[in-house]
Amino acid sequence: MASQDLRNWTVYARRLKSALLDPTVDQAELEETLRQARERAPIPVVWLLGKTQAGKTSIIRALTGSDSAEIGNGYQPCTRTARLYDFPEAAPVVRFLDTRGLGEIAYDPEEDIRYCESHANLVLAVMKIADFEQQAVADVLRAVRRRHPDWPVLLVLTGLHELYVPGGEHVLPYPFDDESGIGALPDDLQRALVRQCEVLDSLAGRGAKAWVAVDLTQPEDGYTPQHYGIEPLWRAIEEVSALGLERQLRGDESVRDVYARSAHQQIVGHAVTAAALGALPVVDLVTVSGVQAKLLHALSNLYDQSWDRRTTTEFVSLLGAGVATGLVARMVGKSVVKFIPGFGQSVGAVWGASTSGAATYALGKAAVYFFAQRNAGVRVEAGNLRKVYAEALDSGAAMLRERFGRTRK
Amino acid sequence: MKLSRLLRRIDPLRAVALLLSALPMLALVVLGLLWLWQNGFLLWWLGAMVACAATAYAMQALLMKRQRKLLADAATEPNPQWPPAADEVWGRVEALADELDPEDWPLDDAERLLGLGRRTLDTVAEAYHPGVDKPLLELTVPHMLLIIERASADLRRDIVDHVPFSHRLVIGDIFRMQRWRRSAEKLFLVYRAGRMVINPVHALVGEAWRGVRDLGVGAVSGELHRWLLSAFVRKVGFYAIDLYSGRLPLDESSPSDQVTEASRKDDERAAEEAKTSSEPLRILVLGRTNAGKSSLINALFGELAAASDALPDTTVDLVPYALEREGMTRALVFDSPGCENGLFAQASFVKAARSADFVLWVSPVNRPDRQQEMKCLQQLRAIYANDAAKRPPPILAVATHIDRLRPAAEWQPPYDLVVAATPKAENIRDAVVALARDLAFEPGDVVPVCLADGRVYNVDDLLRSALLDRHDSALRIRLMRCVDARRRAENWGLLRRQLVGAGRLLRRLSGRADKR
């Protein structure tokens, strides 16, 4: 068995190496396979519902840490039609549906509701806390919950500073979590809060519903912290939706800097794609290594490093045969289970998803470690790299199990 | 031929006597010319004469120009307080005045001039009562008398001001002048004919000079004639429009001196001590919920008058506030609830909109969802556009909440919006432009203000001067409104008196029947 593993490892390493060095191989075929895979593993859609300039795009930006979401300047509608943000663009982890500006033009939510119908969902109703003309938003919310009683709804109240006394600052620590904290808020803010939350009472259905207050400002606005209430927002999203979004978009506690966070989102995205590939009836090593090559390329771009023959050889050899053994064993096991009729269709799919997905995840994490060490000018220790890989394999598997376990009932 | 007939009518003996008496003087002319010719001065003399004639002509032209200007200044203008419908009628009167040919309407023919006045009246009456057989009869006797009284007074003033020596000339003079002028012209014709025979050279020069002079004088007198005719038509037309549009009250005092019934009630609601001497301006404050309508009123008052709150629905009905500040006409300011709840379907709001002299449209700059707001504004504009009998009041947009624009925490007025050097000023300017575009206002009709507690900005200077800029047109609307109210009151008053009279008669009749 050991000798066979070793032989398999060389085959796999050769494939990965050639995919890395020549990423144009079978590009069209790869794209087509990826498209099929995405259909099998739909990306969760977070539906942002709110009037123009309510702060929807600011929320997308704060959640993803990405600047690509266009932010309006406070008075002009920047969202003319319903808009989808795939995030990250190349290998999406989540999809944001930004509605057309409610109240700005005649808005018929039917189309958006229909679009979201087949997806795993979370509805974020975004309201400026000082804006009380929320009839349109409330109407759509009620319609959504009548048709989909178990969709979770999270009411996000934005623009808190509009109700501060002139010259006022954020109340710190964040006071909205308990009764006594709310008592310390400016009077107008308290009353507005009660008033705006009334809409939640009128919603039918048994799906979770909650509210959270945030103030997502831009640096020049002069409020600190700039993203006031972002932690409670994450908590609330996790509570009502159980989509594991925070884990997928932010990573663990250690992931704090912009590079690492962006890398994490790329890794999750590609891992999800690879996992989805694994769920397809027939899939070969070439396709999976194609996805992994794409990921490693994206990461090398992010860390401003090139994947030449020397780096590739160094990385693959450092990763070593031991890592490869586990990897290939999983691959083989997956292929066998998958071809057992009936049983293989369901169990095999989940298992396949977690193996090729987790391997991709671990490969990505190992590559990030590899690049970071090299950027810092430190020699990469083979033992450390393998340890990172092994740990990531477990956490990736857990993450994917959570993701696919929840979206497939 | 005319000349020969004239000559035939003159007694030959008298002609010879006339000739003999004039002979020494005529001889002087001939001898003088001869002397000039012999001494070689004839050409000099001719040149001097031509120069004098030219100078005189130039002076005539100058005089004519001055006179023309004087006359033009005295032209009757349409009354700015007329309803828009009157513009068209006035156009007809002006057309009639312009197309008059002085030749057709000699001033000394009183019959014809009266006919011209009647024609003017007919023109106006027809416009107001199309389809009526005799539109001229669609007016009351007191009104007819009033029109004559007014037009006469005006014409008197115009003639005294603009026609030279008019205060010295009596009518008889004018008629005598006319008669004398005709016989003088005849005699002059004879003189010219005779002169031609006796001294052809002098006669030719004289004729030329006369032609030049007549050109000037004739034009001036024709001008005056034309002016008199068109002034007459315009004057009659002016009062006829006043009359037929029902704006001519029988009472002499100015219509806005008295308080209308509706404002009186509102006055009483606003303040018990409302012992008002003149009609207040009615200012209607409209806009969406929480736009800052009540805060605006507070800022205008400079003290707390209207209830304002961060939460909506503090104002549930039209509430009047009496505003009295130095430098401003006394005003009733009406606070209103948010317009997005179908305000203009309600009859009371339509009524309030119609009776407003000034509208302040309050719109928050930080809320770009203006669809509903635009709908309300369109309804309001439609109310005014559909009311052809009235001019729309000025509408001023007040852009509130400028302090909430980005950067949100910054508030360091003053902000120069023309140069817009800071991001905040730039955002305020852009937001105002966006608001003006979305709500179809002229950029000059949007005033950015801040009304937050302790941050009131631009209210006492910019907003107030914008209000004052539109003050005159608001006063005009007020006057029109008062005229309408007065007319209604007058009609009802008369009707009531007549009914009371009729009631007495009935009572007397029934009393008599009882006795029987």
Side-chain angles (χ1 to χ4, degrees), chain B residues 409-472:
Chain B
E410 183 201 316
W411 182 249
Q412 286 158 340
Y415 290 106
D416 183 352
L417 303 186
V418 181
V419 182
T422 65
K424 185 91 171 186
E426 209 174 299
N427 282 339
I428 295 173
R429 186 195 57 198
D430 293 352
V432 166
V433 170
L435 187 146
R437 189 195 53 225
D438 287 357
L439 298 181
F441 276 106
E442 292 293 321
D445 285 343
V446 183
V447 182
V449 299
C450 179
L451 305 169
D453 279 345
R455 287 185 170 186
V456 174
Y457 176 57
N458 265 353
V459 173
D460 271 331
D461 32 38
L462 202 58
L463 179 61
R464 192 153 303 212
S465 75
L467 287 173
L468 286 177
D469 277 350
R470 292 151 183 84
H471 193 238
D472 280 352

Side-chain angles (χ1 to χ4, degrees), chain B residues 4 80 109 124 162 172 182-183 224 231 293 346 358 365 389 426 501 510:
Chain B
S4 63
D109 191 342
V124 176
H162 299 285
R182 231 169 291 158
S183 24
L224 187 67
K293 296 181 289 296
Q346 300 167 29
F358 204 126
V365 282
E426 209 174 299
S510 61

Side-chain angles (χ1 to χ4, degrees), chain A residues 51-53 75 103-106 128 130-133 161-163 166-167 188 191-192 195 218 220-223, chain B residues 288-290 309-313 340 365-369 371 404-409 427 430-431 437 453 455:
Chain A
K51 292 192 346 186
T52 173
Q53 290 302 327
Y75 45 86
E104 180 207 344
I105 30 179
K128 257 193 179 172
D131 183 358
F132 296 94
E133 292 167 52
H161 62 260
E162 289 196 359
L163 290 181
D188 284 346
R191 290 160 58 224
R195 170 84 177 237
Q218 286 171 21
E220 67 267 26
D221 284 333
Y223 287 102
Chain B
R288 62 206 288 181
T289 303
N290 276 59
D309 192 14
L311 259 58
D313 306 337
E340 67 277 358
V365 282
N366 61 337
R367 305 259 201 90
D369 52 316
Q371 194 207 6
R404 291 187 185 174
L405 293 171
R406 289 185 183 284
N427 282 339
D430 293 352
R437 189 195 53 225
D453 279 345
R455 287 185 170 186

Side-chain angles (χ1 to χ4, degrees), chain B residues 18 21-22 161 224 253 283 302 327 341 344 400 423 490 514:
Chain B
L18 203 72
S21 65
D161 289 351
L224 187 67
S253 57
I283 303 178
N341 310 317
F344 290 105
T400 55
E490 203 168 76
D514 284 348

Side-chain angles (χ1 to χ4, degrees), chain B residues 352-415:
Chain B
R354 287 222 174 105
S355 65
D357 305 321
F358 204 126
V359 177
L360 290 176
W361 190 273
V362 186
S363 181
V365 282
N366 61 337
R367 305 259 201 90
D369 52 316
R370 303 201 169 96
Q371 194 207 6
Q372 197 61 34
E373 196 180 345
M374 187 58 189
K375 222 166 98 190
C376 295
L377 194 54
Q378 276 168 343
Q379 278 172 317
L380 179 73
R381 285 175 176 150
I383 287 173
Y384 292 130
N386 293 337
D387 196 353
K390 274 200 201 116
R391 289 185 192 279
I395 304 181
L396 191 65
V398 182
T400 55
H401 294 331
I402 56 173
D403 56 324
R404 291 187 185 174
L405 293 171
R406 289 185 183 284
E410 183 201 316
W411 182 249
Q412 286 158 340
Y415 290 106

Side-chain angles (χ1 to χ4, degrees), chain B residues 73-93:
Chain B
D73 287 349
T76 308
E77 294 294 330
N79 190 343
Q81 287 150 10
W82 279 341
D87 290 349
E88 198 250 319
V89 185
W90 180 249
R92 291 198 204 181
V93 171

Side-chain angles (χ1 to χ4, degrees), chain A residues 135-171:
Chain A
Q135 197 55 41
V137 179
D139 286 347
V140 176
L141 273 184
R142 281 193 278 266
V144 165
R145 282 286 283 231
R146 260 199 310 278
R147 295 178 61 167
H148 304 278
D150 37 330
W151 278 8
V153 168
L154 178 60
L155 173 63
V156 187
L157 298 167
T158 61
L160 304 179
H161 62 260
E162 289 196 359
L163 290 181
Y164 292 174
V165 290
E169 304 257 330
H170 290 319
V171 178

